[in-house]
Amino acid sequence: MSISIIPIGRCFAGEVSGVDLRRPLSPETVAAIDSGMHEYAVLVFRGQDINDEEQLAFSRALGPIESSIGGNITRLDQRRLGTDIADVSNLDQNQNIYARDDRRRLFNLGNRLWHSDSSFRAIPAKYSLLSARSIPVNGPNTEYADMRAAYDALDDKIKAEVEGLICEHSLTYSRGQLGFTDFTEEEQQTFAPVRQVLVRTHPVTMRKSLFLASHAGTIVGWPMAEARIFLRDLIEYATQPQFVYVHHWRLHDLVMWDNRQTMHRVRRFNETEDIRDVRRTTISSDGPTTAQATN
Ligand code: OGA
Ligand code: MN
């Protein structure tokens, strides 16, 4: 069995075949997956009936695992999964579907806003790997937007304007859009804003991309309102259909994306009735995208 990758969808994603993620992969296969990620930025592996350990082993072959602590407001004693896995499901620690007013459910609704994973951390995410262990029959889809193509299509005037800009990202900004204002002291500390460049350059391909996310709430040196509306305009522009791959989930899909080059969002579904058990492992990127403020 040897690995091959072919384009899927209307634009930039790739589908991988010839790989069994339950087994250790050769260094050559891992290297082929990495270069596939550089080219496509979203890769789909079908038919991967894996468990948490197998997902973690595959993820570790790709780089350091990001701890999921600090990424949502789940208390440690309320966790269903280990701390190396982000629980993106609608299930509580007893495998019951969250009640409609459960704060964890409401917080996770933020995944319906376009975002890049962990852009609210000083060292943001590189790859995310999302494994579908149980999914509703009729979706929801997850959508991915190509921030390289969006950058390339900017006119020169906007390219010059965004070059060198620094944004501040925080979960308080993204969740603030959903009406969350009641953060505890501890949450406010955990979610303190971090700085990220707005234009990133991929370290291997050297392609530029827009580093946008719902978590971005300010542009350093800009009046707040002007920054917010500019970021909103950019996100609207960068997520037009010509830049978007829509993933239609099948059971045991594993979808992997490069957060440095894409944004994503999940669509609405009947989540107080249908079980959706999807689990994410996350690979850290190499370092901060900009020097952090020392306040
Ligand atoms: C994520 C995420 C989308 C989904 O895991 O980071 O945003 O399809 N998930 O659940
Ligand atoms: Mn996400």
Side-chain angles (χ1 to χ4, degrees), residues 174-193:
S174 51
R175 273 39 183 186
Q177 294 179 42
L178 302 180
F180 275 89
T181 46
D182 58 337
F183 294 105
T184 63
E185 276 291 309
E186 195 189 340
E187 284 168 354
Q188 282 178 39
Q189 273 174 24
T190 309
F191 302 151

Side-chain angles (χ1 to χ4, degrees), residues 111 115 117 257 264 280:
N111 283 339
H115 66 283
D117 289 333
W257 63 88
H264 60 281
R280 192 186 86 214

